[in-house]
Amino acid sequence: MNNYQWYSEQWGKETRDDQQLFLLLTVGVFQAGLSWKAAAGKKAVFYRNFCEMDFRKVAAFFPDDIDRILEDPEMIRNPRKVQAVVKNARAIVTLLNEYDSFSDYLWDFVGGVPMIHTYETQEEVPAVLPEATMIAKDMKKRGFSFVGPVVTYMFLKSAGIIQDQVINREK
């Protein structure tokens, strides 16, 4: 199995697991400007560098932790993206003052059930949805980083919160 197969298998499946959601958000952060395969293929590296994707531990990182991560030759060594993961972990911890979990925060936007959009062809699937733009704005307001509308849409799709279904009907 290739090192990004897990992402293909996860894609579109509902998850309410905060650790998995933090991982999927991290893939989204690192995917910006790269291929999804390049980012998703770093799962083991992310787990190793980000405390098994424990956002509470990552939220407590110091600058020397970021420096250590950037020295890992297997890591995508973009300082802004590594800092964004730490910032996002801190934003999740802050969310816990208002929500029981990161999952509750995200699923609250869709009333606890996946938002399903149906399209005739793959070409009709948009790069972003107004709902993803609204969620991205809320996340940014709450201190998240690297969560533009496209990254947020892909993140929500990977977690099964938004689901795009293509119906290839023959004419």
Side-chain angles (χ1 to χ4, degrees):
M1 175 161 85
N2 59 44
N3 56 357
Y4 56 80
Q5 185 65 34
W6 72 273
Y7 192 73
S8 296
E9 291 170 0
Q10 166 59 50
W11 186 263
K13 291 184 182 162
E14 294 177 42
T15 184
R16 295 171 192 269
D17 178 87
D18 280 359
Q19 180 183 17
Q20 181 78 354
L21 289 165
F22 183 48
L23 171 63
L24 294 171
L25 178 59
T26 298
V27 169
V29 165
F30 280 95
Q31 184 177 330
L34 300 173
S35 76
W36 68 268
K37 290 179 181 178
K42 297 294 183 180
K43 179 182 178 184
V45 178
F46 294 155
Y47 265 79
R48 181 174 69 239
N49 283 295
F50 297 117
C51 303
E52 303 297 310
M53 303 314 298
D54 182 333
F55 62 84
R56 287 175 181 86
K57 290 180 181 177
V58 175
F61 277 12
F62 289 101
D64 58 329
D65 294 305
I66 292 170
D67 293 342
R68 174 187 45 78
I69 292 168
L70 291 170
E71 291 173 9
D72 183 340
E74 293 182 60
M75 186 66 185
I76 298 168
R77 294 188 273 184
N78 180 318
R80 290 181 57 232
K81 291 180 179 184
V82 173
Q83 291 164 350
V85 172
V86 175
K87 191 173 179 183
N88 292 344
R90 291 176 180 155
I92 294 169
V93 168
T94 301
L95 275 177
L96 299 181
N97 293 325
E98 190 176 340
Y99 293 88
D100 289 336
S101 65
F102 184 36
S103 172
D104 285 354
Y105 163 74
L106 294 169
W107 283 95
D108 193 44
F109 284 104
V110 295
V113 296
M115 178 182 294
I116 300 173
H117 296 275
T118 305
Y119 303 94
E120 293 277 330
T121 65
Q122 187 63 41
E123 290 75 31
E124 292 177 353
V125 177
V128 71
L129 288 176
E131 296 91 346
T133 300
M134 185 262 309
I135 294 168
K137 284 181 182 175
D138 191 78
M139 289 178 79
K140 282 186 180 202
K141 182 182 80 179
R142 292 173 179 274
F144 287 85
S145 187
F146 269 86
V147 289
V150 174
V151 167
T152 300
Y153 183 36
M154 293 300 114
F155 163 56
L156 296 170
K157 286 171 61 167
S158 70
I161 296 168
I162 295 178
Q163 298 178 16
D164 293 333
Q165 298 176 349
V166 178
I167 304 168
N168 290 313
R169 286 191 262 184
E170 298 197 24
K171 305 276 181 210

